[in-house]
Amino acid sequence: FCAIIQAESGKVVQRMKMERLIGILSILLQREKVDLYASLSGLLAAFYNDFTDRGFDMEVELAEGLPQVWADAGAVLRIFTNLIRNALEHGEGRMEIRLYQEGGQVVSRFSNETHALTAEDVPHVFDRFFTSDKMRTGRNTGLGLAIVKALAGQMDCRAEAALEGDMFAITLRWPVERR
């Protein structure tokens, strides 16, 4: 019993530290023009071995010549890193990453095959401490996508989640114009 209490208290402390970190990050954002193509293509190259080691069937479409967006470069890297790590951790089989322009926005879309999520889970994926790990094995904190949503919101970027068949998708709509 004591071991369970100790393990749970450690998780609570970790969650409190992450909550504080989310608050600090939102205060420190410095918005400037950011090239999402350069940010994302560099990260994809850095994660190449992770994708191949996990055997993902990758489909990547990054449009070139996109307008820059008003964002914080460090926050953009954190968002993209969290989305890639989430897909590596919870995805299986296929993974699709797209970057394109739609009207006055640049859209980044990360999709991965999964059998762990249900339609009932989707509205909660951005909730702090949500995890699809129904057994609560402690493998993740459930903060990665909450951080994505919090940072995106601080930059007037809209984050959306959807489950389309067996594909879970996170779509981010980045404003091109300064707000």
Side-chain angles (χ1 to χ4, degrees), residues 58-130:
M58 295 292 300
E59 186 175 322
V60 177
E61 291 181 20
L62 307 181
E64 295 185 54
L66 295 170
Q68 293 183 333
V69 300
W70 284 99
D72 178 276
V76 166
L77 288 176
R78 171 55 50 208
I79 287 170
F80 287 165
T81 299
N82 282 13
L83 291 171
I84 291 168
R85 285 187 176 153
N86 187 73
L88 286 168
E89 179 74 23
H90 303 289
E92 52 193 88
R94 293 180 305 167
M95 185 184 306
E96 300 171 359
I97 300 175
R98 303 198 188 309
L99 186 66
Y100 55 95
Q101 185 170 3
E102 190 173 88
Q105 301 172 327
V106 174
V107 178
S108 54
R109 182 174 172 89
F110 294 73
S111 307
N112 60 270
E113 187 174 352
T114 184
H115 300 288
L117 283 178
T118 66
E120 293 79 27
D121 292 331
V122 174
H124 305 287
V125 297
F126 293 117
D127 294 349
R128 290 180 185 173
F129 313 121
F130 172 82

Side-chain angles (χ1 to χ4, degrees), residues 37-51:
Y37 178 89
S39 299
L40 186 52
S41 60
L43 270 178
L44 291 174
F47 278 98
Y48 176 81
N49 288 336
D50 297 294
F51 298 134

Side-chain angles (χ1 to χ4, degrees), residues 4 7-8 11 15 90 116-117 121 124-125 127-143:
I4 293 171
E8 290 302 312
K11 290 178 187 176
R15 288 177 178 172
H90 303 289
L117 283 178
D121 292 331
H124 305 287
V125 297
D127 294 349
R128 290 180 185 173
F129 313 121
F130 172 82
T131 176
S132 63
D133 178 7
K134 307 296 188 236
M135 300 297 290
R136 300 287 188 230
T137 61
R139 288 181 42 213
N140 71 56
T141 62
L143 286 171

